[in-house]
Amino acid sequence: MKTGMKALLIVTLGLISAISPAPAAAQEGQSADKTNELLKKLTPEEQAALSKSDSANDRVKNYLRVAAGRLKNARALLDTDKYAEADEQIQIYTAVINDAGRFLTSVRARDKAHKTMEQGLKEQLRLLEGIRRNTPAEHFDVADDAVRTSERVRIQALKAALAADDLLKTPSQKL
């Protein structure tokens, strides 16, 4: 990667960090127990897709496909004013992204899987931001948690893709 492109990515990450401060690490996302409980609500086909893959990059693509499906379901439910059902879809989406983040910690730095995850989450965050904007106040926390979790995993993937952990800081850290 050219030096100019790397600098641009670092500046972009800095802007993301400045815009959306993240909570403390202990409070980020969902607890491991809740994540595992929500992952049990995946269909057998989705569970098989997440556990079966030839490479880390293929597994990340499967995580992104499953997550995208849940976001589409949530969007459709919101359009028909079924907020409780949409909340469940968003919670499952958040659990899938949390699990993907846990998986990525076992993948070596600069692996293509990190880039795939970062780019996929960047795309999904656009849809998720729209969902968050269209969500009533009483259901806002679920969508906001999903956005924060996606941003956290995206930053984690970007750091690993660039192998720049010492250069890039999470929103709660100072440079």
Side-chain angles (χ1 to χ4, degrees):
M1 179 180 294
K2 292 184 178 181
T3 306
M5 181 61 105
K6 193 171 186 178
L8 179 63
L9 286 172
I10 292 170
V11 169
T12 302
L13 183 64
L15 291 174
I16 291 170
S17 299
I19 292 171
S20 58
Q27 297 175 349
E28 285 183 342
Q30 302 167 347
S31 69
D33 292 338
K34 187 171 181 180
T35 297
N36 291 335
E37 178 184 317
L38 288 168
L39 289 175
K40 290 178 184 175
K41 294 183 179 185
L42 293 174
T43 65
E45 294 82 20
E46 291 172 328
Q47 290 175 354
L50 295 182
S51 62
K52 177 188 128 192
S53 62
D54 296 330
S55 68
N57 195 44
D58 289 341
R59 188 164 178 183
V60 165
K61 287 178 183 178
N62 288 337
Y63 274 114
L64 290 170
R65 278 188 209 111
V66 169
R70 292 301 172 151
L71 279 182
K72 285 181 184 178
N73 291 346
R75 176 81 263 165
L77 289 166
L78 284 174
D79 290 343
T80 59
D81 297 333
K82 296 180 180 176
Y83 301 114
E85 292 93 341
D87 280 353
E88 183 178 36
Q89 293 297 311
I90 294 169
Q91 287 173 339
I92 294 171
Y93 167 84
T94 305
V96 169
I97 297 303
N98 261 335
D99 196 46
R102 284 191 301 203
F103 168 72
L104 282 176
T105 60
S106 66
V107 178
R108 65 179 170 76
R110 293 186 184 250
D111 191 274
K112 186 177 181 179
H114 297 292
K115 180 180 177 184
T116 301
M117 178 60 79
E118 191 275 330
Q119 290 176 337
L121 285 178
K122 180 180 178 186
E123 190 175 305
Q124 288 180 3
L125 274 165
R126 289 184 194 139
L127 179 58
L128 200 51
E129 288 285 347
I131 288 172
R132 183 170 67 171
R133 276 192 302 274
N134 295 336
T135 302
E138 55 270 3
H139 299 278
F140 182 81
D141 290 341
V142 174
D144 192 50
D145 184 44
V147 169
R148 283 181 298 168
T149 300
S150 296
E151 287 174 344
R152 177 182 50 81
V153 173
R154 180 175 176 233
I155 290 169
Q156 170 192 337
L158 185 57
K159 283 180 173 182
L162 297 174
D165 204 27
D166 56 335
L167 294 176
L168 303 174
K169 303 295 179 190
T170 56
S172 61
Q173 297 174 325
K174 295 184 179 180
L175 290 175

